[in-house]
Amino acid sequence: MKNNTENTPQKRKPKKRIKAGCLIFAAVLLITATAIIALLFRLFGDYYLSTSDVSQPPSTKSPNTTLTGSNPNPTPPQSGSSSESTTGTTKANANHYIQPAGAEWNLKLINKWNLIDTSYQPPLATYAGSYKFDSRAIDKLRALVNASNGRIRVTSAYRTADVQNNLYVKEVNSLINKGIPRSKAEEEAAEAVARPGTSEHQLGLAVDFLFKGYSSLLTEYENTETYRWMLDNCAKYGFILRYPKDKTDITGVMFEPWHFRYVGEQAAQEMMSRGLTLEEYLQEKGK
Ligand SMILES: [Zn+2]
């Protein structure tokens, strides 16, 4: 008896400890696994969303002064009607032009209905030490800026998919921090920052200009002499105003008086003189 009573507890105790240990270990494993899955889902979820579909417009950010070039992409601050773009971007996808494969490099269409081929890598050259632009058009960019005689300065040009993704995720997070539910935040963010794959900046042919006298990108550029000068002169260098005010339903992007796109001189002259967007021009030409 004595032996038994002494032996039994002695034997049982370690068993209980082992069992308890196993349980704790299992619980820790479960918690860790859940945390990892949640983390992966969050990361992957963002990535997936941001590469799916999209738009581009303005934003509600604080003005940014990006002349130094360390930040290749000021997110456009704003003023305008993101509502315009919302309406424009959410309806009638069926009517939007889908560009056939094999488009010429300068006429590639990238918008929320025509995603960039992820393998596409434009030849890049450096502009003003900090910006990258398609090397086949960089001389035209230089010529346009020179001709402007100080009216415009490049503030954003080529963006990698990663940079675009970071901009988008940052915008989503800032909205979530304001208490907006994630699904709505993702939708709203896409109105301010194009999701990766849908931004022309990834093509190396789009450029945002800061206008003289401004340190941020504003729709009020519309009322400046610089804007009128740009409308009159950009096509001579092969550039177009890419997101006009009255064509947001076609471009899927709100009015951006600062965003210009290189398409080549001939195409630019025709688009600017006839008031056509790139979408309309390509559809008409079947390009
Ligand atoms: Zn832009």
Side-chain angles (χ1 to χ4, degrees), residues 56-100:
Q56 163 109 358
S59 89
T60 41
K61 294 226 165 152
S62 55
N64 42 63
T65 325
T66 330
L67 303 179
T68 54
S70 54
N71 170 2
N73 299 303
T75 322
Q78 90 129 62
S79 60
S81 39
S82 35
S83 56
E84 265 182 58
S85 78
T86 322
T87 351
T89 54
T90 47
K91 70 181 174 191
N93 287 18
N95 296 329
H96 291 279
Y97 183 61
I98 304 300
Q99 187 174 46

Side-chain angles (χ1 to χ4, degrees), residues 56 159 201 207-208 256 258-259:
Q56 163 109 358
R159 293 174 194 161
H201 285 279
V207 55
D208 294 337
E256 290 195 356
W258 58 81
H259 180 113

Side-chain angles (χ1 to χ4, degrees), residues 164-231:
Q164 192 66 35
N165 189 51
N166 290 343
L167 282 177
Y168 175 72
V169 170
K170 209 171 139 189
E171 183 71 14
V172 170
N173 290 337
S174 85
L175 292 171
I176 288 173
N177 289 339
K178 287 177 188 166
I180 296 170
R182 172 167 287 273
S183 59
K184 188 150 175 22
E186 284 165 348
E187 215 174 284
E188 270 187 37
E191 290 163 25
V193 182
R195 290 172 184 162
T198 69
S199 170
E200 274 197 334
H201 285 279
Q202 287 177 242
L203 205 52
L205 295 171
V207 55
D208 294 337
F209 292 113
L210 271 180
F211 283 16
K212 189 181 179 181
Y214 290 88
S215 59
S216 57
L217 307 173
L218 302 168
T219 48
E220 70 191 54
Y221 280 8
E222 182 188 11
N223 305 313
T224 62
E225 187 272 335
T226 298
Y227 181 65
R228 288 186 289 279
W229 185 88
M230 285 294 282
L231 294 186

